Amino acid sequence: PNLWLEMEVINRGVAGEEILGTVRLPVTKNNWLTNPQARLRNLWLPLTSQTSTGRWSVNPCGDIHIMTWWGDRPEGGLVGGAQSVVSEGTEARRALNEGLRQNLAKIAEHQAGKLEVPGSAETLSGMDLGFLLQPSGYNPNLLARSAHGARTPLTRSEARWLRAEEAAGILPRLACFEQRSLRAFADLRARLAKAGLAGVALAELRLY
């Protein structure tokens, strides 16, 4: 089967409903969401809209964060395993955290030179990774955690973990922004070529 997951963002107002954008994601094509070797998917995807010609184009703004986890089929089938599916809704978050901990451990043991974001193709390396491993301005008096009603200082490893968790959320979204910017620039160049301005430097253009 060629299954697709389709989600719509709808604005409900006084005048009725308006579809702001759609995200269409393949489920079974190339085992995109059903790959037992890559159970976790951590994705930021841009909203798209269908044009009058039937083609899909990326919206100027609007994104959706999707995290999926491909698990084993629960015993008892779909009906009998419905409760199991609901109770395992945190599996994607658990897999993300576990993957981050394993990657940080490999980096600490000099077995890896970059931080891989579980569920995505994004990585953190170079100066950005150095900033994560050696948090600049670390102050245990400013970063604190609550434990049994008392607030105790964070250790350096805990501060490092918090930054890794933030990176796991930021990097896939930055990649989404980058893809939207590249598409917008490609559309601009196509319009310029159509207007006979393909060879004109952008600094010389006066756009209205």
Side-chain angles (χ1 to χ4, degrees), residues 36-181:
Q37 305 302 322
R39 296 175 179 267
L40 175 67
R41 291 291 184 185
N42 178 25
L43 308 169
W44 276 94
L45 301 174
L47 294 178
T48 60
S49 297
Q50 196 168 19
T51 64
S52 58
T53 60
R55 301 185 63 180
W56 291 89
S57 63
V58 176
N59 291 6
C61 60
D63 313 288
I64 287 184
H65 184 206
I66 300 174
M67 288 184 66
T68 64
W69 171 259
W70 178 250
D72 298 327
R73 180 179 178 181
E75 296 182 3
L78 295 178
V79 177
Q83 184 61 37
S84 298
V85 173
V86 173
S87 63
E88 294 175 0
T90 59
E91 280 297 308
R93 176 60 62 180
R94 181 201 61 77
L96 176 64
N97 291 341
E98 182 63 25
L100 283 176
R101 293 187 189 279
Q102 292 178 1
N103 289 340
L104 285 174
K106 290 180 180 179
I107 293 173
E109 297 173 0
H110 304 287
Q111 297 179 3
K114 60 184 178 180
L115 177 68
E116 299 179 355
V117 178
S120 76
E122 305 307 313
T123 60
L124 192 69
S125 60
M127 294 181 61
D128 293 330
L129 179 61
F131 175 72
L132 185 148
L133 297 178
Q134 300 293 335
S136 177
Y138 166 75
N139 188 336
N141 297 316
L142 299 179
L143 297 173
R145 66 182 185 277
S146 297
H148 306 293
R151 297 184 68 82
T152 57
L154 284 176
T155 64
R156 283 186 177 272
S157 61
E158 288 172 329
R160 187 180 301 124
W161 162 253
L162 288 178
R163 294 201 174 184
E165 196 174 29
E166 291 174 355
I170 292 174
L171 291 178
R173 192 171 193 187
L174 289 178
C176 180
F177 289 163
E178 182 181 13
Q179 290 300 316
R180 172 181 281 113
S181 299

